[in-house]
Amino acid sequence: MASEAAHRLDYRTIKPTIGAEVLADKPALLSGTHAADLRALLEERGVLVFPRVDFSEAELVAFTRTLGAYAPDRKDEGVTPISIDPAGGRSADYTRASFFWHFDGYMNAAPILASILCAKVLSASGGETEFCNTYAAWEALPEDRKRQIEGLQVVHAMAGAQRAVDPEPSYETLQQWLRVPRRTLPLVWTHRSGRRSLVIGNTAVNVVGMDPLESFELLVWLRDWATQERFRHSHAWSLGDAVMWDNTGTLHRVRPYPADSGRLMIRTKLAGEEPLG
């Protein structure tokens, strides 16, 4: 019993429908002792906060590997820097789409299971990261709305996300966006667990077979429903915080901050494990 107590994962819930603050130190997290419990808690709570754990780049990669298959963005398998500093070039331009609600990896047959973000440099203003629980949002929908949207399919495309940043793109810019493949996905994802979540966000362009304005109305209604206060957590960063979120059952966005603030996050991702389609 003493051994079980020593290995118990301590945490506190943040809101009834979303979030948990994990009360474990860095050595325990890096050891992998809590890996199974963290994965279960992530599916249950959607977002896990590790206050001021201050992972180095190598430690963040090591921690990610304790939880599942690491999905690096870089050939050297290092972390991904996240910044909108103009010095970052085109990647910084694309990152501005993160100011709007989205999930990651819609082009993947199995979307990214989870992402982990660690704060290295903070902005003096703005820069909070917000999350909403799309499992809880589905579960709380009125029954008539559930019947209306079950079985619907939605086209997701990079152009949808980037148009929020650049509402009147040049034709050349639009062609660049359209080179990125689009995917048609179910509006309601029935997971292998039996639970369901909403598949929405700024990549959602239109509902298949629906009048364009009626489609737009439905997608905006669902976004407002899913992101209302009771399903949402806004994380105000402290230096060294790490946050992990279930990319298959949440949306996220960053609140605006000055591009020249120097704000820098490092990110790792866990590879997808469940197909969506």
Side-chain angles (χ1 to χ4, degrees):
M1 293 298 293
S3 177
E4 289 181 10
H7 294 158
R8 184 179 63 237
L9 179 65
D10 290 328
Y11 65 91
R12 67 171 189 85
T13 59
I14 294 173
K15 278 188 170 181
T17 63
I18 187 169
E21 183 178 287
V22 176
L23 308 175
D25 61 23
K26 185 191 294 188
L29 295 172
L30 291 173
S31 73
T33 299
H34 298 305
D37 289 338
L38 286 170
R39 284 183 57 115
L41 186 63
L42 180 68
E43 183 175 350
E44 176 189 343
R45 305 301 305 161
V47 178
L48 304 184
V49 176
F50 305 89
R52 300 179 185 272
V53 69
D54 197 23
F55 287 129
S56 68
E57 292 189 9
E59 288 169 341
L60 183 57
V61 171
F63 174 60
T64 304
R65 291 186 186 279
T66 69
L67 299 167
Y70 176 42
D73 291 319
R74 295 164 41 179
K75 291 182 179 179
D76 63 5
E77 298 197 351
V79 302
T80 300
I82 306 295
S83 171
I84 62 167
D85 190 312
R90 179 173 293 181
S91 65
D93 290 338
Y94 288 137
T95 301
R96 287 184 177 84
S98 64
F99 287 165
F100 306 94
W101 290 107
H102 65 286
F103 72 100
D104 295 327
Y106 75 88
M107 293 183 296
N108 301 344
I112 298 157
L113 173 63
S115 292
I116 309 170
L117 206 60
C118 188
K120 290 300 178 182
V121 180
L122 300 180
S123 173
S125 62
E128 301 86 359
T129 304
E130 295 190 314
F131 306 89
C132 73
N133 188 330
T134 57
Y135 282 118
W138 160 262
E139 290 162 2
L141 274 173
E143 289 302 317
D144 60 342
R145 185 64 85 173
K146 287 182 178 179
R147 289 192 294 270
Q148 176 196 8
I149 68 174
E150 283 185 293
L152 293 181
Q153 300 280 310
V154 178
V155 176
H156 286 255
M158 180 182 180
Q162 290 302 313
R163 194 175 180 188
V165 180
D166 185 358
E168 293 187 341
S170 68
Y171 186 72
E172 180 183 2
T173 296
L174 177 60
Q175 290 302 304
Q176 292 173 359
W177 297 348
L178 294 179
R179 291 190 190 109
V180 180
R182 70 195 74 178
R183 285 195 71 201
T184 299
L185 301 173
L187 181 51
V188 181
W189 184 355
T190 302
H191 296 257
R192 61 189 177 191
S193 66
R195 297 177 70 196
R196 292 181 172 185
S197 63
L198 296 172
V199 184
I200 52 178
N202 68 356
T203 56
V205 176
N206 67 280
V207 179
V208 175
M210 187 175 285
D211 171 84
L213 287 179
E214 291 179 357
S215 167
F216 186 47
E217 179 185 25
L218 176 59
L219 292 172
V220 169
W221 189 94
L222 288 170
R223 183 206 62 210
D224 277 6
W225 172 267
T227 59
Q228 62 183 290
E229 175 66 25
R230 61 173 161 154
F231 307 130
R232 187 176 77 239
H233 168 60
S234 181
H235 182 69
W237 292 90
S238 295
L239 201 60
D241 283 356
V243 176
M244 176 166 62
W245 64 94
D246 175 1
N247 184 64
T248 70
T250 65
L251 299 176
H252 61 282
R253 70 175 180 182
V254 62
R255 303 305 293 148
Y257 60 93
D260 61 357
S261 67
R263 183 183 188 271
L264 175 65
M265 302 280 163
I266 55 173
R267 185 191 68 197
T268 54
K269 300 182 297 188
L270 286 169
E273 299 177 356
E274 182 177 3
L276 171 56

